[in-house]
Each structure stands twice: as structure tokens, then as C-alpha cells.
């Protein structure tokens, strides 16, 4: 490892810090994180099996839900094994290129998840506001195109973040990353060079993907609420609104945790580092944990199938 004027030139290895100030209890912190991961993988895997085996769930909404479950499994798997290696086995080192690859995977899956939430909102919009055209709009061909498009959009827009770090930033003040996984800004802040382009492009990706998705999700639900409140019968209004509750809960948990993590990481200079790290970890682990639970509770077909699998009676 070469050093010039107190900086490190292209470090081959980075070191993740443990949670600052909580080193003495990090072994115990790893236990709930591991439990969350196991439950998330089990819950989403069960959801995928149920959607595949239950013919009544072969609809666009559940296709998007299956995509969400697969993305949640992949996203949590990207971070948890290595994170537990830090907490439990004192293995904080990672090759620089491997760190960049993990960063690309994490942000790509985050962007895919955001796109899936937008697709689910548009599906609810057509279902409630133009139900007669739903089958003709959401064809199998369109669903495939949406899945491929969301994946390519995320992968191609996130890739320049990796390239800008690899090609532009050569000198680093330190090789110690103040995080428990590879996050774009956590790596950029290590550089001893001008990082404005990296920061600007990171904000651009956040706005063009997350900002775009949030705007259109909100517009979709404004139109949905207007349509629902104009329905003449109270029972019809409740039934229509009930079909949206699960998606609204998933939407809120994903974006609210994301906003807290985003703003504390960039603007919370007086917030203790362990708060930054814990919030970031929870942002990536809580949605995969809650998504199958929320949809399992709110979807009767999924509840019934789970009841049959585990041989207990559905109280509803």
C-alpha cells in the first residue's frame, strides 16, 4: 500500500469499523440482526412459494409482490453475512473492488425495490380508477417488460457511481470506513480529492429514481383517494381502500426509513456515528422483514395458504 503526503494511493483493502461506542455489546447487537435476516429470508421465500403454487395469486399485483420478495432476499443477503463477520468473528477487512461491487448491488436492489413500489401503485391505480381496462393494460408481456426495465434502470444508473469512484478517486485519507457495509457516501468521504462530482451524481441518481418514484406514487394515490371517496356506497369505499392498505404500509416503511437514513448521513453532523450506522442497517433490514408480514396479514389467499402449510385454522 503506497502512501503520498499522508494519503493512501488506491488502497487494495478497506476496513469497516464496528459500531463506534458500542463495541462491548456488538456481539449481542448481531443477534437481533441475524434473527431479522432469518425471518426476512424465510418469510419472503414462503411468500414466493405461495404465489407460485396458488393459481388465484397469478395476477399482476402478486407478480410485483414476488419481485419485491426476491429483491428483499437479495438485498438483505448482500449485507448480513459480512456484517455478522464484523460483529461476531472480527473480520472487518474487505477488498476495495469487492466493496465497490457490494455497493453497486445494494444501491441497485434499493432502486429496483423503489421501482417495484411504483409499479404496484400504478397497478392499484388502474384497478380502482379504470378496472375494465386492467386486464388489457397489465398483460404478461408488459409485466415482463416492467421487470426487465426496472432492473436495467437501476443497474445502469448506479453503475457510474462505481466507475466515478474507481476512476476519479485515487488518494484516500484513510482506509477505515465508518460503516458496517459499503455505502456510496461512506466511501466517497474517505477520498482526499475533490468529490463534488461524485456527490452530485449520487444526488442525481437519488432524485431521478427515488424522487421520480415517490412523486408518481403520491400522484397515483391522490387519484385513487379521489375515486374511492366518490364511490356512492360506504362498503364499496372500504373494500377499495382495503386493497391499498398493505401497499401503503410497505411504501411508508421503505421511504420513511430511507429518508431518515439519507438525511442523517448527509446533514446530521451532530448525530453520533452509531446512530448513523444503526439507522442505515435498519433501513436495509426492516422492510424485508415486514413486507411479507404486512402482505400476509392483509391478503386472504396468502393467509389461507399459510394456514394450510402450518395446519392451523385462520381465525377470519
Amino acid at each position: 500500500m503506497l502512501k503520498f503526503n499522508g494519503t493512501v494511493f488506491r488502497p487494495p483493502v478497506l476496513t469497516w469499523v464496528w459500531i463506534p461506542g458500542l463495541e462491548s455489546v456488538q456481539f449481542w447487537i448481531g443477534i437481533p440482526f441475524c434473527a431479522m435476516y432469518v425471518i426476512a429470508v424465510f418469510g419472503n421465500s414462503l411468500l414466493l412459494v405461495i404465489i407460485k403454487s396458488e393459481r388465484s395469486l397469478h395476477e399482476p399485483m402478486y407478480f410485483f409482490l414476488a419481485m419485491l420478495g426476491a429483491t428483499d432476499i437479495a438485498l438483505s443477503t448482500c449485507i448480513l453475512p459480512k456484517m455478522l463477520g464484523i460483529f461476531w468473528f472480527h473480520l472487518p477487512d474487505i477488498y476495495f473492488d469487492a466493496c465497490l461491487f457490494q455497493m453497486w448491488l445494494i444501491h441497485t436492489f434499493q432502486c429496483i425495490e423503489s421501482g417495484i413500489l411504483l409499479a404496484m401503485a400504478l397497478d392499484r391505480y388502474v384497478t380502482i380508477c379504470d378496472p375494465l381496462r386492467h386486464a388489457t393494460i397489465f398483460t404478461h408481456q408488459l409485466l415482463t417488460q416492467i421487470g426487465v426495465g426496472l432492473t436495467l434502470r437501476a443497474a445502469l444508473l448506479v453503475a457510474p457511481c462505481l466507475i466515478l469512484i474507481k476512476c476519479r478517486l485515487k488518494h484516500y485519507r484513510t482506509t477505515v470506513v465508518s460503516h458496517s457495509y459499503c455505502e456510496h457516501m461512506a466511501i466517497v468521504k474517505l477520498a482526499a480529492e475533490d468529490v463534488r462530482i461524485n456527490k452530485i451524481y449520487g444526488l442525481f441518481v437519488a432524485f431521478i429514481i427515488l424522487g421520480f418514484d415517490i412523486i408518481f406514487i403520491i400522484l397515483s394515490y391522490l387519484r385513487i383517494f379521489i375515486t374511492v371517496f366518490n364511490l356512492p356506497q360506504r362498503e364499496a369505499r372500504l373494500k377499495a381502500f382495503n386493497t391499498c392498505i398493505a401497499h401503503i404500509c410497505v411504501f411508508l416503511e421503505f421511504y420513511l426509513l430511507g429518508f431518515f437514513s439519507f438525511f442523517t448521513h448527509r446533514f446530521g453532523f451532530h448525530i453520533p456515528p452509531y446512530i448513523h450506522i444503526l439507522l442505515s442497517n435498519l433501513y436495509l433490514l426492516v422492510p424485508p422483514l415486514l413486507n411479507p408480514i404486512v402482505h400476509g396479514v392483509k391478503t386472504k389467499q396468502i393467509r389461507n395458504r399459510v394456514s394450510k402449510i402450518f395446519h392451523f385454522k385462520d381465525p377470519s
Side-chain angles (χ1 to χ4, degrees):
M1 187 181 297
L2 301 177
K3 293 189 177 182
F4 297 94
N5 298 325
T7 64
V8 181
F9 181 77
R10 286 184 175 174
V13 175
L14 295 177
T15 301
W16 285 329
V17 299
W18 293 2
I19 302 178
L22 300 177
E23 290 85 356
S24 60
V25 295
Q26 283 185 142
F27 177 87
W28 303 108
I29 292 175
I31 294 176
F33 280 141
C34 182
M36 291 169 66
Y37 172 68
V38 171
I39 295 171
V41 171
F42 174 77
N44 284 289
S45 299
L46 181 62
L47 196 65
L48 292 174
V49 171
I50 291 173
I51 291 173
K52 180 176 175 59
S53 61
E54 186 68 42
R55 293 190 61 85
S56 63
L57 298 179
H58 293 179
E59 299 177 3
M61 186 64 178
Y62 301 108
F63 170 80
F64 295 134
L65 183 55
M67 285 183 59
L68 188 67
T71 303
D72 283 338
I73 292 173
L75 179 59
S76 55
T77 301
C78 283
I79 64 167
L80 236 296
K82 182 61 180 175
M83 187 186 300
L84 294 179
I86 300 172
F87 291 168
W88 289 352
F89 305 108
H90 310 297
L91 301 172
D93 294 337
I94 185 172
Y95 288 110
F96 187 81
D97 290 340
C99 186
L100 292 184
F101 182 63
Q102 187 198 48
M103 181 198 79
W104 178 74
L105 287 176
I106 290 172
H107 292 309
T108 296
F109 287 131
Q110 286 177 305
C111 294
I112 291 174
E113 184 153 352
S114 176
I116 294 170
L117 293 178
L118 171 60
M120 295 172 79
L122 295 177
D123 174 79
R124 293 297 88 195
Y125 167 76
V126 176
T127 299
I128 294 174
C129 300
D130 197 1
L132 297 179
R133 297 183 57 200
H134 184 271
T136 59
I137 293 175
F138 283 93
T139 61
H140 290 295
Q141 182 181 4
L142 179 63
L143 296 178
T144 302
Q145 291 172 347
I146 289 174
V148 173
L150 292 178
T151 303
L152 290 177
R153 180 189 73 156
L156 294 178
L157 283 174
V158 173
C161 292
L162 183 152
I163 296 170
L164 286 172
I165 291 175
K166 184 70 175 176
C167 297
R168 290 191 70 253
L169 307 181
K170 297 181 174 62
H171 295 89
Y172 292 80
R173 288 188 293 269
T174 178
T175 60
V176 178
V177 184
S178 299
H179 224 299
S180 54
Y181 62 86
C182 291
E183 197 267 345
H184 178 249
M185 283 304 300
I187 300 174
V188 167
K189 287 179 178 179
L190 303 180
E193 301 170 81
D194 185 1
V195 297
R196 282 179 295 179
I197 293 178
N198 301 74
K199 289 183 177 180
I200 290 171
Y201 186 78
L203 290 173
F204 167 76
V205 172
F207 176 78
I208 206 70
I209 293 184
L210 300 181
F212 174 90
D213 293 348
I214 290 172
I215 290 171
F216 277 87
I217 290 172
I218 292 174
L219 290 176
S220 297
Y221 270 103
L222 286 176
R223 188 69 183 88
I224 288 171
F225 290 151
I226 292 172
T227 302
V228 169
F229 291 137
N230 285 334
L231 293 175
Q233 296 180 342
R234 181 173 180 272
E235 292 77 11
R237 291 196 297 270
L238 291 176
K239 183 178 180 181
F241 184 71
N242 190 54
T243 63
C244 301
I245 291 178
H247 179 258
I248 292 173
C249 292
V250 171
F251 163 73
L252 290 176
E253 76 188 31
F254 179 80
Y255 285 108
L256 288 179
L257 282 170
F259 278 128
F260 276 119
S261 176
F262 179 86
F263 285 111
T264 56
H265 198 71
R266 283 164 176 79
F267 307 110
F269 302 110
H270 302 295
I271 297 177
Y274 67 87
I275 297 294
H276 289 288
I277 296 175
L278 288 175
L279 277 177
S280 298
N281 292 340
L282 290 175
Y283 168 50
L284 295 185
L285 291 176
V286 170
L289 171 70
L290 294 182
N291 289 348
I293 296 174
V294 170
H295 285 283
V297 170
K298 293 302 299 178
T299 306
K300 185 176 181 179
Q301 297 98 314
I302 295 177
R303 290 203 312 269
N304 290 341
R305 175 61 71 161
V306 172
S307 301
K308 292 178 183 178
I309 292 175
F310 293 101
H311 305 291
F312 62 81
K313 188 176 181 180
D314 187 354
S316 64

PDB file of all heavy atoms in Angstrom, residues 236-247:
ATOM      1  N   ALA A 236     -68.365  -0.146  -0.557  1.00  0.00           N
ATOM      2  CA  ALA A 236     -67.502  -0.138  -1.734  1.00  0.00           C
ATOM      3  C   ALA A 236     -66.248   0.682  -1.469  1.00  0.00           C
ATOM      4  O   ALA A 236     -65.147   0.310  -1.909  1.00  0.00           O
ATOM      5  CB  ALA A 236     -68.263   0.416  -2.940  1.00  0.00           C
ATOM      6  N   ARG A 237     -66.404   1.798  -0.752  1.00  0.00           N
ATOM      7  CA  ARG A 237     -65.237   2.626  -0.420  1.00  0.00           C
ATOM      8  C   ARG A 237     -64.261   1.867   0.474  1.00  0.00           C
ATOM      9  O   ARG A 237     -63.050   1.898   0.250  1.00  0.00           O
ATOM     10  CB  ARG A 237     -65.682   3.922   0.263  1.00  0.00           C
ATOM     11  CG  ARG A 237     -66.430   4.879  -0.650  1.00  0.00           C
ATOM     12  CD  ARG A 237     -66.497   6.275  -0.050  1.00  0.00           C
ATOM     13  NE  ARG A 237     -67.239   6.293   1.203  1.00  0.00           N
ATOM     14  CZ  ARG A 237     -68.548   6.505   1.300  1.00  0.00           C
ATOM     15  NH1 ARG A 237     -69.270   6.713   0.213  1.00  0.00           N
ATOM     16  NH2 ARG A 237     -69.151   6.520   2.476  1.00  0.00           N
ATOM     17  N   LEU A 238     -64.805   1.187   1.487  1.00  0.00           N
ATOM     18  CA  LEU A 238     -63.948   0.433   2.404  1.00  0.00           C
ATOM     19  C   LEU A 238     -63.240  -0.714   1.692  1.00  0.00           C
ATOM     20  O   LEU A 238     -62.060  -0.971   1.933  1.00  0.00           O
ATOM     21  CB  LEU A 238     -64.780  -0.102   3.571  1.00  0.00           C
ATOM     22  CG  LEU A 238     -65.307   0.933   4.563  1.00  0.00           C
ATOM     23  CD1 LEU A 238     -66.201   0.271   5.606  1.00  0.00           C
ATOM     24  CD2 LEU A 238     -64.155   1.674   5.240  1.00  0.00           C
ATOM     25  N   LYS A 239     -63.972  -1.403   0.805  1.00  0.00           N
ATOM     26  CA  LYS A 239     -63.373  -2.521   0.077  1.00  0.00           C
ATOM     27  C   LYS A 239     -62.242  -2.048  -0.833  1.00  0.00           C
ATOM     28  O   LYS A 239     -61.175  -2.665  -0.898  1.00  0.00           O
ATOM     29  CB  LYS A 239     -64.445  -3.236  -0.737  1.00  0.00           C
ATOM     30  CG  LYS A 239     -63.927  -4.466  -1.468  1.00  0.00           C
ATOM     31  CD  LYS A 239     -65.039  -5.165  -2.226  1.00  0.00           C
ATOM     32  CE  LYS A 239     -64.504  -6.401  -2.955  1.00  0.00           C
ATOM     33  NZ  LYS A 239     -65.597  -7.091  -3.720  1.00  0.00           N
ATOM     34  N   ALA A 240     -62.487  -0.926  -1.528  1.00  0.00           N
ATOM     35  CA  ALA A 240     -61.460  -0.394  -2.425  1.00  0.00           C
ATOM     36  C   ALA A 240     -60.242   0.080  -1.641  1.00  0.00           C
ATOM     37  O   ALA A 240     -59.094  -0.185  -2.034  1.00  0.00           O
ATOM     38  CB  ALA A 240     -62.044   0.750  -3.248  1.00  0.00           C
ATOM     39  N   PHE A 241     -60.480   0.763  -0.531  1.00  0.00           N
ATOM     40  CA  PHE A 241     -59.366   1.266   0.267  1.00  0.00           C
ATOM     41  C   PHE A 241     -58.589   0.124   0.904  1.00  0.00           C
ATOM     42  O   PHE A 241     -57.364   0.189   1.034  1.00  0.00           O
ATOM     43  CB  PHE A 241     -59.889   2.222   1.341  1.00  0.00           C
ATOM     44  CG  PHE A 241     -58.804   2.861   2.155  1.00  0.00           C
ATOM     45  CD1 PHE A 241     -57.976   3.826   1.610  1.00  0.00           C
ATOM     46  CD2 PHE A 241     -58.594   2.493   3.481  1.00  0.00           C
ATOM     47  CE1 PHE A 241     -56.969   4.408   2.355  1.00  0.00           C
ATOM     48  CE2 PHE A 241     -57.590   3.075   4.235  1.00  0.00           C
ATOM     49  CZ  PHE A 241     -56.779   4.039   3.665  1.00  0.00           C
ATOM     50  N   ASN A 242     -59.296  -0.946   1.271  1.00  0.00           N
ATOM     51  CA  ASN A 242     -58.643  -2.079   1.924  1.00  0.00           C
ATOM     52  C   ASN A 242     -57.635  -2.762   1.006  1.00  0.00           C
ATOM     53  O   ASN A 242     -56.638  -3.329   1.473  1.00  0.00           O
ATOM     54  CB  ASN A 242     -59.698  -3.087   2.377  1.00  0.00           C
ATOM     55  CG  ASN A 242     -59.115  -4.158   3.282  1.00  0.00           C
ATOM     56  OD1 ASN A 242     -58.487  -3.858   4.297  1.00  0.00           O
ATOM     57  ND2 ASN A 242     -59.305  -5.408   2.912  1.00  0.00           N
ATOM     58  N   THR A 243     -57.876  -2.702  -0.314  1.00  0.00           N
ATOM     59  CA  THR A 243     -56.932  -3.323  -1.250  1.00  0.00           C
ATOM     60  C   THR A 243     -55.613  -2.557  -1.331  1.00  0.00           C
ATOM     61  O   THR A 243     -54.627  -3.075  -1.857  1.00  0.00           O
ATOM     62  CB  THR A 243     -57.545  -3.400  -2.666  1.00  0.00           C
ATOM     63  OG1 THR A 243     -57.783  -2.073  -3.152  1.00  0.00           O
ATOM     64  CG2 THR A 243     -58.851  -4.178  -2.655  1.00  0.00           C
ATOM     65  N   CYS A 244     -55.589  -1.315  -0.803  1.00  0.00           N
ATOM     66  CA  CYS A 244     -54.388  -0.480  -0.894  1.00  0.00           C
ATOM     67  C   CYS A 244     -53.597  -0.417   0.406  1.00  0.00           C
ATOM     68  O   CYS A 244     -52.463   0.080   0.412  1.00  0.00           O
ATOM     69  CB  CYS A 244     -54.773   0.956  -1.286  1.00  0.00           C
ATOM     70  SG  CYS A 244     -55.639   1.099  -2.853  1.00  0.00           S
ATOM     71  N   ILE A 245     -54.188  -0.887   1.511  1.00  0.00           N
ATOM     72  CA  ILE A 245     -53.563  -0.687   2.825  1.00  0.00           C
ATOM     73  C   ILE A 245     -52.179  -1.325   2.893  1.00  0.00           C
ATOM     74  O   ILE A 245     -51.216  -0.714   3.370  1.00  0.00           O
ATOM     75  CB  ILE A 245     -54.472  -1.229   3.943  1.00  0.00           C
ATOM     76  CG1 ILE A 245     -55.724  -0.352   4.069  1.00  0.00           C
ATOM     77  CG2 ILE A 245     -53.715  -1.265   5.276  1.00  0.00           C
ATOM     78  CD1 ILE A 245     -56.706  -0.834   5.116  1.00  0.00           C
ATOM     79  N   ALA A 246     -52.060  -2.576   2.425  1.00  0.00           N
ATOM     80  CA  ALA A 246     -50.773  -3.276   2.518  1.00  0.00           C
ATOM     81  C   ALA A 246     -49.693  -2.514   1.751  1.00  0.00           C
ATOM     82  O   ALA A 246     -48.574  -2.320   2.253  1.00  0.00           O
ATOM     83  CB  ALA A 246     -50.906  -4.696   1.989  1.00  0.00           C
ATOM     84  N   HIS A 247     -50.029  -2.076   0.540  1.00  0.00           N
ATOM     85  CA  HIS A 247     -49.030  -1.351  -0.258  1.00  0.00           C
ATOM     86  C   HIS A 247     -48.667  -0.023   0.378  1.00  0.00           C
ATOM     87  O   HIS A 247     -47.493   0.382   0.371  1.00  0.00           O
ATOM     88  CB  HIS A 247     -49.555  -1.118  -1.672  1.00  0.00           C
ATOM     89  CG  HIS A 247     -48.586  -0.368  -2.536  1.00  0.00           C
ATOM     90  ND1 HIS A 247     -48.733   0.964  -2.817  1.00  0.00           N
ATOM     91  CD2 HIS A 247     -47.432  -0.761  -3.155  1.00  0.00           C
ATOM     92  CE1 HIS A 247     -47.728   1.369  -3.587  1.00  0.00           C
ATOM     93  NE2 HIS A 247     -46.932   0.346  -3.804  1.00  0.00           N
TER      94      HIS A 247
END
